[in-house]
Amino acid sequence: MAFEALNTAESRKRHLGIIEDVLAVNSYATPLLTPSEAVTLNGRSFTVATGDTTELKDYKRNQVNKFDNVETEEKVYTLEEEKYWGRFVDQLDERDSNGQVNIEYVIARQAAKVVAPYLDELRFGAALGNVSDNVVMGKDKGANNAYNAVLDVSEKLDELGITKERLLFVTPSFYKAIKSEIVRLPQGDADKKVLGKGYVGELDDYTVYKVPSKFLPNVNALAAAPGVVTSPIQIDNTKYNNNVPGRFGELVEQLLYTGAYVLEHFQKYIITIADTKPAAKKSAQGKTVNRAKAWKAGTTYKEGDTVTHEDKVYVAIKEITSSTNAPDSDSANWKVKK
């Protein structure tokens, strides 16, 4: 066969494994990512189910105790980004380079120089589109404005229980400001303990990464817990053709599916230092599938009943004998479920 799908174990190691290995090392966003083994893809999508909780009540002996029913909300996340690339390696080029310019070289270089930067932009965009809080760098705190802003973020993360393994991504200009204030900020990763680009040291329980400002537009720094971005990359197919008419060499092609999302319960752990909070990014959220019943006009609801309407979940705040107005326009009877 001229075209061959690379499905053997040796082929996967030779072609797909290079992508996986190189991407992590050449991506600034790697520390932000949920490990790929934590996500089970069903085709090109994965589903996250969340069950609600109930309040603690006083237990009444020998009496009927009130109980609630568990309600589950599902969100479906789909890898909607479809990317393709193809390159041809001429047999004479491979010979003249003593075999260094070959198919393996092409795939590894493509992953490091093209795919990784694209994913960085996609993943940082998802994180910035799900910022829960923002700190404005004050101008009245003396000479340590940058470091004081970091401490303000630390205070917020402390209250959220994130006191260790915190990540701080900074632009070059913000890093320069911190360095001028905190001279002893360690540099480099001589022991190679941290995988990924941009690592410059540790600061107050933060692992600090310096990233190009294009990944943090209008933002000085992004603080987060590890693994807040879920962004699988699925190599749908890699194939090559070593029998192109009129050409001597090999053609390699690759079809990729990917996306970048922040799961709802991780949003609170993302805080920026910027003049204004970044705008929300709806595309970085999944589609809600709730098992609560859809709202229906004319129905009687008890206090605490939940319904869905326009992809949102509403809770009845009092008994409604005959619901006539939709929940999104009836704040006297309904509130959005948090």
Side-chain angles (χ1 to χ4, degrees):
M1 294 176 65
F3 277 90
E4 178 185 346
L6 304 180
N7 290 323
T8 66
E10 182 60 31
S11 294
R12 283 196 298 272
K13 179 181 178 181
R14 179 184 174 193
H15 295 269
L16 307 189
I18 292 175
I19 288 281
E20 295 169 357
D21 294 341
V22 173
L23 280 182
V25 176
N26 287 277
S27 171
Y28 289 100
T30 297
L32 281 171
L33 300 181
T34 299
S36 57
E37 64 267 19
V39 181
T40 302
L41 286 170
N42 181 17
R44 290 171 55 183
S45 65
F46 60 97
T47 301
V48 176
T50 304
D52 63 353
T53 58
T54 185
E55 62 180 340
L56 291 174
K57 309 177 185 72
D58 290 334
Y59 178 71
K60 300 178 181 178
R61 294 176 179 271
N62 303 318
Q63 296 185 42
V64 176
N65 291 284
K66 184 180 180 180
F67 59 86
D68 303 316
N69 294 309
V70 176
E71 293 178 356
T72 302
E73 180 178 284
E74 295 179 351
K75 276 199 173 183
V76 179
Y77 300 82
T78 303
L79 306 185
E80 296 179 342
E81 298 287 330
E82 299 177 350
K83 297 298 176 183
Y84 159 87
W85 63 268
R87 297 300 300 275
F88 183 83
V89 178
D90 193 280
Q91 195 174 70
L92 295 182
D93 292 334
E94 185 171 353
R95 186 197 66 184
D96 293 342
S97 66
N98 294 321
Q100 295 182 33
V101 178
N102 53 27
I103 291 296
E104 294 174 333
Y105 167 84
V106 167
I107 294 180
R109 186 168 176 81
Q110 186 74 9
K113 300 296 184 180
V114 179
V115 180
Y118 165 74
L119 291 175
D120 272 336
E121 194 165 350
L122 187 71
R123 290 161 174 174
F124 276 113
L128 292 175
N130 286 274
V131 172
S132 65
D133 203 350
N134 180 67
V135 168
V136 177
M137 192 161 63
K139 298 179 181 180
D140 57 346
K141 297 181 179 180
N144 294 332
N145 290 325
Y147 183 53
N148 271 300
V150 173
L151 293 179
D152 289 341
V153 174
S154 295
E155 185 178 2
K156 293 177 181 293
L157 291 176
D158 286 342
E159 295 293 346
L160 292 170
I162 305 299
T163 57
K164 300 290 182 181
E165 298 184 357
R166 301 187 292 206
L167 307 175
L168 184 67
F169 297 87
V170 299
T171 62
S173 60
F174 192 78
Y175 176 73
K176 180 181 178 181
I178 295 177
K179 281 292 290 183
S180 67
E181 299 168 7
I182 314 295
V183 179
R184 290 184 294 176
L185 177 66
Q187 290 206 40
D189 185 19
D191 296 331
K192 302 299 180 185
K193 294 180 180 179
V194 180
L195 183 65
K197 294 177 69 175
Y199 171 72
V200 289
E202 310 289 328
L203 175 65
D204 293 350
D205 295 322
Y206 287 103
T207 302
V208 183
Y209 296 86
K210 181 170 57 174
V211 304
S213 56
K214 66 179 181 180
F215 295 136
L216 299 175
N218 303 314
V219 170
N220 294 311
L222 169 71
V228 295
V229 177
T230 304
S231 180
I233 178 169
Q234 186 179 74
I235 301 176
D236 180 74
N237 199 1
T238 300
K239 59 185 181 181
Y240 69 87
N241 185 354
N242 58 3
N243 190 24
V244 180
R247 301 292 298 274
F248 293 86
E250 289 183 296
L251 169 67
V252 62
E253 298 176 283
Q254 199 162 59
L255 178 61
L256 309 173
Y257 300 140
T258 189
Y261 305 96
V262 174
L263 307 188
E264 190 173 6
H265 57 284
F266 286 146
Q267 291 176 340
K268 60 186 177 182
Y269 301 133
I270 304 176
I271 301 173
T272 49
I273 299 174
D275 291 337
T276 58
K277 180 180 175 181
K281 186 177 181 181
K282 190 174 181 181
S283 61
Q285 281 300 324
K287 182 179 179 181
T288 301
V289 180
N290 196 279
R291 297 189 182 280
K293 294 181 179 179
W295 173 81
K296 186 177 181 181
T299 304
T300 297
Y301 294 102
K302 298 178 181 179
E303 181 181 351
D305 282 351
T306 58
V307 297
T308 56
H309 182 69
E310 299 291 339
D311 284 336
K312 290 185 179 180
V313 183
Y314 293 86
V315 182
I317 57 179
K318 59 184 178 182
E319 185 172 340
I320 311 170
T321 55
S322 182
S323 184
T324 56
N325 296 322
D328 58 351
S329 60
D330 187 8
S331 58
N333 291 310
W334 300 96
K335 67 177 181 180
V336 176
K337 185 175 181 182
K338 300 294 185 181

